[in-house]
Structures are given as C-alpha cells and as structure tokens.
Amino acid sequence: MKGGRILDWIGDLRIGTALLFLAALLCLVGGLIVDADRAFFGPLNYTRLHEWLMAQDSSGLLQSWWLCALFAVLGLFGVNTLVCTVQRMASLVRLRKNGEASGSLYAFVPSIVHLLVLCVMAGHALSASLFLRTSVPLEAGQRLGFEGAHIEVLSIELEHYPPHSLFKGKIRDVAARLEVRDEKNTERVSLSFLRPALVGGTMYQLVMNPRALVKGMPHPPTASMKSQEQNRPSGCAENPLMLMAKRDTGVIVIVCSCALIIALMIWYYLELLFRRRKTAGASEKG
Amino acid sequence: MIIRGLLFGSIVLYALSGILGLLGRRTRAPLCTGFAAHCVFLIDRAIKGSELSAWGLAEPVHLLPLCLALLVLAARFMKNESRHWRGTELLVAVFLLFAALYPQGFMLPAPQKIGFLPTAFFIFESLAYACFIMAAWFSLSALLSGAKNGAYHETIVWGFVAYSIAQVAGAAWSHLGWGAPFSWSGRHLHSLALWMIYASFLHLRFIKSWRQERSRVYALASGALVMALYLVSYFREMSFPRIAG
C-alpha cells in the first residue's frame, strides 16, 4: 500500500509536467550560454559527453551548471514518465480484461508513444557517450584508418552551379569514390552530400562547415578523438570538405523510435478528430 | 520593382482583409487577391534562386507568412467563419512585412543544405510556428473577450505534430550533414525547449486542478516565445553574406 503511494507520487503527472517545463527552461538558458561561449562548448559536438565533462575543472563545471542540471532533470523526468506510463498501461490492461471500451488498443497509443520518447532519450544518451568518429580533409589519395578498416579516397568530382545560376561557381555537390578494405573484404562505394555509404556498420559521409571556417575554428577539433585525428587545423581552412567515418549505435534507436512516434501520433490525433466529429454529429442528430 | 510592388500590395490586402474581418465584413476577395500576389512574389523568387526547393522558393523567413496565409485560407474555405478566426490576416500582414524588410538576397547554399530533408524540415517547422502563433492569437482573443473556445488547443495539437515531424527531419538532416543527430548549439537547444514547452502544455489539461484560463495564458506566453526566438534567429542571420540583394 505504502509502496503504491510512493509509485503514485513518483509517477505524478504534475511532477512530470513541471520537470518537462524546467528542462525546457534549462534548454533555453543553455542555448543562450552556448551561443555566448562557442569556444568552450563547441568541442562538446566532437567529444564524447562523459569525456568532455570529466575533462573539466571546477570552473568548467561551474560554467556548465545548466548542462548538469539538465541531465539531472531529464533523468528524473525519465523515471517519472516510466512509472506513470507503466501504471497507466496496467490500469488499461485491467479495463481490457473487464471488457470495458476504454481499454481498447487505441487507448494504449499515448502510453506507447511515451515509452518511445524514453527510447529516443536513451538513444541520444547512447549516441552522445559511445560514438566513434574521425575525419580527414577530402582529397584524392587521402588515406584513413578507422576501426580496423583502411579507407582510401579514389576520386573526387566537384559539381558547381551552372553559369546562368545566381550561385555560379559555388559548389553544388561533391561525388567521392572510396575503397574500404578490412581483413575480409574490399568494397568500393560512392558518396555525396546527404548520401552517405554504410560499410560494415561504419558510415562514411561528406561534411563541410563554412561557418566554422569563417570563425577560424578547425572542423572538427583535434582534441578528444579516439582514433588519430589526421586533420591539420591549418589545412582545414584550405579545404572545407571533409570525409567523416563514424559509428553511432544510438542513431538507429533514435531513428526507429522517432519514425514510430510520428506514425502513431498522426494516427492517434486523426482518430481522435474523427471520433469527436462522429460524436458531435450524433449529438446534433439527437 | 513590379514584384516588390506585388509584395507590398499583398501586405496591404492582407491587412485590409484583417480589418474587414474584425469589423465583421466578408474578407474573401482581398484575402484571395493578396494571396495571389504573395504567390507571384514567391514564384519569382524561386525562379531567381534557380532551385525549386525551400532554398529558392522561400527561406524560412518567407515560409512562415505563407504558412500563416494557408491556415487562414483553409479556415475560410472550410467555412470556418467563427469569431476567433476574424482578423488573423493581420498576423500574415505583420510577418510578411518583416519578410519584406528583411534582406532580399539569397544566403550561400552549402551543399548539405539542399535536398529533401532540409526542405521537409523548414516546411514543417514553419507550419508548426504558424500554428503556435495562431494559437497565441486565439488565446489572446479569448482572454480579451472572455469567450470560451478551445480552438487554440486544437491548433497547438496540430502544430505540435508538425513540430515533431520537423524535429525528426532535422535530426536526420543533422546526422547526415554534420555527423550527429543533435548538436550542442543555441538553435538545437531552443528547438528542444520549444518542443518540451508544448509537450508540457498538452499534458496540462489532464491535471484536474489546472484551470482553462491558465492554459490560455500559457499558450499566449509560448506563442510570444516562438515569435521571440524566430525574430532573434533571423536578426542574427541578417549579417550572413548574401547574393543578389
């Protein structure tokens, strides 16, 4: 009985909503702080989260107070949502067993969406703390070693905007051919912007960061990379095109969960709309 | 010059339509004419940009007034002439005026900013912003008149769905273009904050002690935040290098 009350308190909707609002406020403040000090927070985008946090001294941790607070709030929110959702699903199962209409499958959709939101959060946590990534300037003949594979850039083809275009002479796209060799196989793949290649669980993609170049920031910074970073900061300014190799186990969890959330959300709200209209139509006839 | 004239003409027509709506008159003629002029301006921009994508057709600063106009038109043609839609054309006029005064050139199109995902992201984000701003207008009119209507809630629900789709498209785009589904930057953190704010709004109605009036204030404050983030983001982008304009 007492345990049930504690669970009710932990899974209280008021607490969950308050935590969500608090997390939103922390994100708002954090966004302003990050934009104000990009030199300090920029490496967070290229470094594993726990490694970045552990590398900070006391003043660095003080500067990232909002980040620590955000993780604490999101952790509590995760527990709250899990308890609340499990309790709701348990009561729906009871209703279904009793044959009541409110226990229909449709009523389970919000609970499933909440569980999927937790999966997205877990996916982001995995992605931020376990990713492996390295990059080199994109040049023909460039070699890269990543997780036991040897990669060589065979050729690069730049596609420019045509002379009649407003953007004439600017790069429109880049097509690169790579050879990926490991102990067992040799594979040749083509890639271009937003069209990466996946070989043996590793994704190869082209990246470019003109804004970082304008500000003189090397992309990505050489610090905290697991593999030997071959990008020279000075070379980066000469060549904004980079070849990136990465392994990110969290992304597949995020992508699958998000796709399901969107599909379920659209179906749920459309169903709700039709049910309401049906009820309104019936009451008008009555 | 003619095209600029059409743009300012459409602003005047939207404003006229909004004023007529507030006076309780019929608004279809100025609204449709204004929308036609608005579309001609956008098509001309698309042809100039030589890319029929979000990049050429409309930067997000031009997409938001278009989405607002589409919502108003949809409401008119679905015979939704209820009181809370009156004057909403004024919102279109205000945001279109901002777009008209904004630098008219095109930002340099980086290769990873062209394609299906960025286009989907900008369209759904602008659609969501339009819903959130419209919901803030509804809640403001409900607060001022004291009338009971739940239109703002339904608008926020569809805005939230559109915003969620935008965030998923944005995460996929960020993953393919920059190597990570989330970036520790102001843009990403503020998007996450907005999603959380509206997610918490949708849960408020299930709290028994929560009153309807508070939800209206919440919707209004959230809409104001959307506008503030939108304006700050585009004021910042004003300094970016542009071509032709």
Side-chain angles (χ1 to χ4, degrees):
Chain A
M1 195 67 188
K2 203 173 180 181
R5 270 189 197 167
I6 291 170
L7 278 181
D8 283 346
W9 186 80
I10 293 172
D12 194 328
L13 185 61
R14 284 171 298 183
I15 292 177
T17 312
L19 286 170
L20 200 55
F21 187 72
L22 189 58
L25 288 183
L26 286 168
C27 283
L28 275 176
V29 174
L32 297 175
I33 294 173
V34 164
D35 277 352
D37 195 352
R38 287 188 189 184
F40 179 72
F41 289 103
L44 247 177
N45 292 313
Y46 309 105
T47 317
R48 291 172 173 191
L49 191 60
H50 60 279
E51 287 172 4
W52 185 86
L53 280 171
M54 276 154 62
Q56 302 305 317
D57 55 13
S58 55
S59 74
L61 284 175
L62 206 64
Q63 211 170 334
S64 45
W65 63 269
W66 62 273
L67 194 63
C68 303
L70 181 64
F71 292 140
V73 170
L74 286 178
L76 292 172
F77 173 71
V79 174
N80 169 277
T81 307
L82 185 67
V83 173
C84 183
T85 308
V86 169
Q87 280 184 321
R88 185 176 181 273
M89 285 181 103
S91 68
L92 283 174
V93 169
R94 276 198 298 275
L95 285 173
R96 213 171 146 73
K97 271 184 186 168
N98 296 339
E100 290 183 36
S102 54
S104 69
L105 279 175
Y106 166 76
F108 281 88
V109 172
S111 302
I112 297 168
V113 168
H114 282 77
L115 291 178
L116 288 169
V117 168
L118 292 180
C119 289
V120 173
M121 284 168 64
H124 274 292
L126 272 177
S127 174
S129 51
L130 292 180
F131 75 83
L132 291 173
R133 185 163 54 185
T134 189
S135 52
V136 288
L138 186 71
E139 288 161 10
Q142 181 71 260
R143 285 162 197 270
L144 165 72
F146 183 74
E147 292 292 294
H150 300 277
I151 303 107
E152 186 181 349
V153 181
L154 299 176
S155 64
I156 305 165
E157 229 173 274
L158 299 183
E159 186 195 337
H160 292 93
Y161 280 95
H164 64 266
S165 165
L166 210 58
F167 313 116
K168 63 181 174 189
K170 307 281 178 210
I171 295 175
R172 185 192 174 108
D173 206 351
V174 179
R177 275 188 67 73
L178 306 182
E179 186 178 84
V180 184
R181 240 178 323 115
D182 60 18
E183 285 171 6
K184 293 174 192 166
N185 297 314
T186 300
E187 202 170 324
R188 288 189 171 191
V189 289
S190 300
L191 55 150
S192 56
F193 274 101
L194 299 183
R195 289 179 208 89
L198 193 68
V199 182
T202 301
M203 195 155 118
Y204 300 95
Q205 68 184 98
L206 301 183
V207 289
M208 178 177 168
N209 195 347
R211 270 193 224 173
L213 290 172
V214 171
K215 291 179 182 169
M217 278 164 58
H219 169 75
T222 50
S224 308
M225 287 288 169
K226 192 188 177 197
S227 306
Q228 182 64 42
E229 181 62 56
Q230 295 180 37
N231 176 26
R232 305 175 300 276
S234 57
C236 181
E238 291 157 13
N239 183 7
L241 300 171
M242 310 282 289
L243 168 67
M244 183 184 276
K246 66 173 184 190
R247 277 191 183 198
D248 194 339
T249 42
V251 164
I252 191 74
V253 181
I254 298 170
V255 169
C256 294
S257 308
C258 283
L260 273 171
I261 288 173
I262 297 298
L264 286 171
M265 215 194 259
I266 291 173
W267 176 67
Y268 179 79
Y269 283 120
L270 281 176
E271 181 78 18
L272 195 69
L273 200 71
F274 291 136
R275 283 182 185 211
R276 273 191 194 154
R277 287 203 176 154
K278 216 172 169 181
T279 318
S283 63
E284 267 176 27
K285 275 180 191 170
Chain B
M1 197 64 189
I2 295 168
I3 293 298
R4 290 286 284 171
L6 277 177
L7 176 63
F8 282 100
S10 65
I11 294 169
V12 171
L13 286 167
Y14 281 136
L16 178 69
S17 176
I19 293 165
L20 286 175
L22 287 176
L23 294 172
R25 306 272 176 86
R26 292 182 73 84
T27 61
R28 277 196 191 179
L31 176 63
C32 293
T33 320
F35 185 70
H38 186 182
C39 286
V40 172
F41 165 76
L42 289 174
I43 291 167
D44 175 72
R45 194 176 157 79
I47 294 165
K48 271 187 198 153
S50 74
E51 286 285 319
L52 272 172
S53 65
W55 206 260
L57 178 65
E59 271 181 56
V61 73
H62 289 285
L63 268 175
L64 179 59
L66 178 68
C67 290
L68 282 167
L70 285 172
L71 283 184
V72 175
L73 270 174
R76 288 286 177 279
F77 283 92
M78 286 163 76
K79 310 264 181 201
N80 195 343
E81 299 284 356
S82 61
R83 206 174 148 193
H84 51 264
W85 278 97
R86 285 180 193 170
T88 45
E89 295 91 337
L90 286 171
L91 278 176
V92 186
V94 167
F95 280 92
L96 196 54
L97 183 64
F98 178 74
L101 299 175
Y102 199 73
Q104 294 299 304
F106 295 85
M107 281 205 291
L108 295 175
Q112 74 263 50
K113 289 189 174 177
I114 290 169
F116 170 74
L117 283 172
T119 307
F121 169 74
F122 285 127
I123 288 174
F124 280 104
E125 191 191 48
S126 299
L127 196 59
Y129 280 1
C131 289
F132 295 151
I133 290 167
M134 204 59 89
W137 174 278
F138 294 156
S139 51
L140 178 68
S141 66
L143 279 168
L144 291 177
S145 65
K148 281 188 178 178
N149 77 64
Y152 68 93
H153 190 273
E154 200 171 314
T155 315
I156 284 179
V157 164
W158 289 110
F160 184 74
V161 172
Y163 202 61
S164 302
I165 296 173
Q167 293 315 303
V168 173
W173 175 30
S174 173
H175 175 60
L176 297 178
W178 286 267
F182 181 81
S183 154
W184 293 97
S185 65
R187 181 73 159 97
H188 285 230
L189 282 162
H190 288 160
S191 295
L192 179 61
L194 272 188
W195 189 86
M196 286 173 167
I197 282 173
Y198 281 102
S200 65
F201 173 86
L202 293 181
H203 287 83
L204 288 173
R205 63 164 32 194
F206 301 109
I207 297 174
K208 281 174 192 160
S209 55
W210 187 263
R211 290 203 309 271
Q212 181 93 3
E213 290 75 28
R214 285 188 199 161
S215 282
R216 285 177 193 161
V217 175
Y218 194 113
L220 182 60
S222 309
L225 181 68
V226 168
M227 281 191 262
L229 291 177
Y230 172 85
L231 291 175
V232 167
S233 161
Y234 287 106
F235 275 128
R236 194 183 293 159
E237 287 191 2
M238 269 183 168
S239 60
F240 289 2
R242 282 167 186 274
I243 295 174

